[in-house]
Amino acid sequence: MKPTSGPEEARRPASDIRVFASNCSMHGVGHVFGPGSLSLRRGMWAAAVVLSVVTFLYQVAGRVRYYREYHHQTALDERESHQLIFPAVTLCNINPLRRSRLTPNDLHWAGAALLGLDPAEHATFLHALGRPPAPPGFMPSPTFDMAQLYDRAGHSLDDMLLDCRFRGEPCGPENFTMVFTRMGKCYTFNSGTDGAELLTTIRGGIGNGLDLMLDVQQEEYLPVWKDDDETPFEVGIKVQIHSQEEPPIIDQLGLGVSPGFQTFISCQQQQLSFLPPPWGDCSSVSLNPNYEPEPSDPLGSPSSSPPYSLMGCRLVCETRYVARKCGCRMMYMPGGAPVCSPQQYKDCAHPAIDAMLHKDGCACPNPCASTRYAKELSMVRMPSRSAARFLSRKLNRSEAYIAENVLALEVFFEALNYETVEQKKAYEMSELLGDIGGQMGLFIGASLLTILEILDYLCEVFQDKVLGYFWNRRPSQRHSSTNLLQEGLGSHRTQVPQLSLGPRPPTPPCAVTKTLSASHRTCYLVTQL
């Protein structure tokens, strides 16, 4: 505050607008409310101040409106690393069930649902499989479990895996985890389940990742009996490369690897970071497949489920839909609902899933933090003529069998760098305050301390005008009450009768005065006495 000057200004109260204007640090106010009469100069200053304040408020409203739109921007960066966690690699044979493991009981329960077989075709189908027909008096089992069927009849990794190396070191089936998917029984390398330590790599390029040789076992493929949506015409392996946090959706996202070829898959890690509402639409709430959310809560509630991922959200959404519609779940779905029977698979579960996939009935936001892998795929034929005889002796298989069944797969990092894709707030609160401060200084020459000055002036006005009004009323009320009491005291004194008890000394005025200040009634009593 500027110091006051002049005897006239010093006599004015602090609530006077002229005192405030002369001391305020806001430009132009002193010219509007300064001393003197109304003039053209004062009017021009008033117009300039009003125009500046209106422009300032308009600019502030625009900045606040832009901030409340919650814009974001995406930053792309590439970073170096000395060590990267190797991704999870899931493998599935395109053929879901081995023909040598199917039984008449399997065809009785699952033939119509999985293979489209009528009961009259079971004997013919068994003959096509090279299996004996059902014995006379065959009695099917009272119950049937689809998960047990796929576990027993699905391809075994012990039979498919011919060679395994990771970073040049031998590996085997013990380094894989069995997992059910919509394609049946599959296997995941470096899954990290059950607290297993995740494998890492310290170099990029061929020879510094996972190197596999697999046998697709074409002789175990089921014969194509009918042409429908579930009939596979291909031969080979499907591969999905994903992070350990998300489940494999290999039937939709898997890469095909064909026998007779060596396939190279070069990967680059990408770390994605998205913003939650209101700047974005990401979510980090894990989902519980056993919990049916309310319509107002499409994502459900936090639970002990795995970390949130986009594929995990879709899988949980499908699980809830099938469980609600069919009263069961498919074998690869999480949760505690009972596994669907073969008839439920055919009549309800498969049609429900296909309908959901076609209409995209799951609204799953992006995870706030996720890892994905960009992939480049290349392949060469194998084996060469010079290597066919060597592999035939090593694997104890014919050259024709190797050409039709054996494949090689190599998964590696292109380099030990990774990309980061990060959403950031385009307009922070600090930027909003900075813009408001800049507009305030440009248009009205004010600052945060000016606001404090205005608040201080308003307090002075309240104290002087409002509280002072009540304070000034109280002394006047007390003064009028004292005058009324004194007049009443004089009239009572004239009416007191003289007693014949003799002369009595007069009451001192100070005693009466003290009694008056204590109570009106006491004063009246003393006067009578």
Side-chain angles (χ1 to χ4, degrees):
M1 300 285 286
K2 301 176 184 178
T4 59
S5 60
E8 181 181 355
E9 186 173 354
R11 290 193 298 269
R12 293 172 182 162
S15 60
D16 194 315
I17 185 64
R18 288 171 292 182
V19 175
F20 169 74
S22 62
N23 298 328
C24 181
S25 59
M26 180 176 172
H27 297 341
V29 177
H31 296 282
V32 176
F33 298 100
S37 61
L38 184 63
S39 62
L40 178 62
R41 176 175 176 272
R42 188 189 298 271
M44 295 179 63
W45 270 109
V49 170
V50 171
L51 181 62
S52 298
V53 171
V54 170
T55 306
F56 163 69
L57 294 178
Y58 175 77
Q59 294 292 335
V60 169
R63 291 291 85 194
V64 173
R65 183 171 57 253
Y66 180 78
Y67 174 79
R68 292 183 62 84
E69 291 174 356
Y70 302 110
H71 295 276
H72 68 264
Q73 57 189 5
T74 303
L76 177 65
D77 192 15
E78 186 168 345
R79 300 179 183 179
E80 297 288 337
S81 176
H82 299 290
Q83 178 176 288
L84 288 177
I85 296 176
F86 199 74
V89 181
T90 300
L91 311 170
C92 294
N93 200 311
I94 291 178
N95 179 61
L97 298 170
R98 291 178 288 178
R99 63 163 64 194
S100 64
R101 296 304 177 96
L102 291 180
T103 65
N105 187 65
D106 298 333
L107 296 184
H108 172 80
W109 284 101
L114 301 181
L115 306 173
L117 296 176
D118 296 327
E121 298 176 313
H122 288 181
T124 309
F125 190 80
L126 286 171
H127 179 73
L129 295 179
R131 305 297 304 279
F138 165 73
M139 293 294 293
S141 61
T143 59
F144 191 80
D145 191 334
M146 291 287 289
Q148 292 181 2
L149 169 64
Y150 277 94
D151 187 31
R152 171 174 50 82
H155 287 266
S156 172
L157 189 63
D158 294 332
D159 300 330
M160 289 196 303
L161 188 62
L162 302 177
D163 188 39
C164 176
R165 292 184 178 275
F166 179 72
R167 293 175 54 188
E169 298 295 328
C171 55
E174 65 276 4
N175 299 107
F176 290 78
T177 303
M178 193 271 288
V179 59
F180 285 121
T181 70
R182 198 175 182 188
M183 295 187 64
K185 188 178 181 181
C186 303
Y187 302 91
T188 300
F189 177 80
N190 197 31
S191 65
T193 57
D194 301 327
E197 183 179 358
L198 297 179
L199 301 176
T200 60
T201 182
I202 58 175
R203 282 189 295 272
I206 296 176
N208 294 289
L210 179 64
D211 189 1
L212 301 175
M213 183 175 287
L214 298 168
D215 182 0
V216 300
Q217 299 178 307
Q218 262 197 88
E219 75 280 2
E220 290 283 7
Y221 274 44
L222 295 176
V224 177
W225 200 255
K226 290 184 178 180
D227 185 7
D228 56 31
D229 294 339
E230 300 294 330
T231 302
F233 295 100
E234 306 86 8
V235 59
I237 300 290
K238 269 204 167 183
V239 182
Q240 183 181 354
I241 299 171
H242 56 97
S243 67
Q244 285 77 14
E245 288 77 19
E246 61 182 12
I249 311 294
I250 198 166
D251 60 304
Q252 302 176 40
L253 303 177
L255 303 173
V257 181
S258 175
F261 291 89
Q262 182 172 7
T263 304
F264 303 92
I265 302 179
S266 173
C267 305
Q268 185 181 32
Q269 188 182 92
Q270 296 176 334
Q271 295 184 1
L272 310 180
S273 177
F274 297 99
L275 290 173
W279 292 272
D281 62 348
C282 80
S283 174
S284 58
V285 179
S286 58
L287 305 180
N288 185 354
N290 297 318
Y291 171 75
E292 187 66 28
E294 297 295 334
S296 60
D297 184 18
L299 292 180
S301 62
S303 67
S304 58
S305 303
Y308 177 85
S309 65
L310 186 60
M311 294 298 104
C313 174
R314 290 179 180 175
L315 185 59
V316 169
C317 177
E318 294 173 5
T319 302
R320 290 173 176 170
Y321 182 77
V322 172
R324 183 175 64 252
K325 193 173 184 64
C326 307
C328 61
R329 64 180 177 89
M330 303 178 81
M331 62 175 184
Y332 65 89
M333 293 178 173
V339 178
C340 296
S341 66
Q343 196 64 33
Q344 288 175 313
Y345 258 77
K346 178 184 178 182
D347 297 338
C348 185
H350 276 305
I353 287 296
D354 292 337
M356 171 169 279
L357 293 178
H358 281 101
K359 69 179 182 180
D360 194 17
C362 294
C364 290
N366 289 317
C368 293
S370 63
T371 302
R372 71 182 183 188
Y373 298 91
K375 297 169 282 289
E376 294 182 0
L377 187 143
S378 61
M379 59 183 65
V380 295
R381 284 190 60 85
M382 68 158 290
S384 64
R385 291 181 181 178
S386 58
R389 185 174 301 177
F390 170 78
L391 288 177
S392 177
R393 292 195 305 267
K394 177 182 178 181
L395 303 177
N396 195 23
R397 302 284 186 177
S398 66
E399 294 182 14
Y401 181 90
I402 292 174
E404 292 181 356
N405 292 275
V406 176
L407 61 87
L409 173 66
E410 235 181 295
V411 181
F412 56 91
F413 280 120
E414 179 181 353
L416 286 189
N417 55 12
Y418 62 95
E419 292 181 352
T420 60
V421 181
E422 183 179 4
Q423 281 186 352
K424 296 182 178 180
K425 300 175 184 178
Y427 198 58
E428 299 272 6
M429 175 61 73
S430 58
E431 296 175 289
L432 173 63
L433 296 178
D435 285 348
I436 292 177
Q439 303 289 348
M440 187 185 299
L442 175 65
F443 288 104
I444 60 177
S447 66
L448 182 61
L449 295 180
T450 307
I451 298 177
L452 297 180
E453 290 179 355
I454 295 174
L455 295 177
D456 179 69
Y457 169 71
L458 294 177
C459 291
E460 292 288 348
V461 171
F462 179 78
Q463 181 179 354
D464 188 27
K465 303 297 184 184
V466 179
L467 298 182
Y469 171 75
F470 292 102
W471 289 343
N472 292 334
R473 285 189 60 186
R474 290 177 182 176
S476 62
Q477 290 176 354
R478 289 196 298 267
H479 181 69
S480 61
S481 299
T482 303
N483 293 336
L484 291 175
L485 289 174
Q486 289 178 354
E487 292 176 0
L489 179 61
S491 62
H492 285 303
R493 284 178 179 175
T494 58
Q495 297 175 4
V496 174
Q498 298 294 328
L499 301 178
S500 59
L501 296 178
R504 190 184 66 161
T507 303
C510 59
V512 176
T513 304
K514 291 180 181 179
T515 307
L516 279 172
S517 63
S519 171
H520 298 169
R521 294 181 178 178
T522 307
C523 175
Y524 178 70
L525 179 60
V526 171
T527 307
Q528 285 185 337
L529 293 176

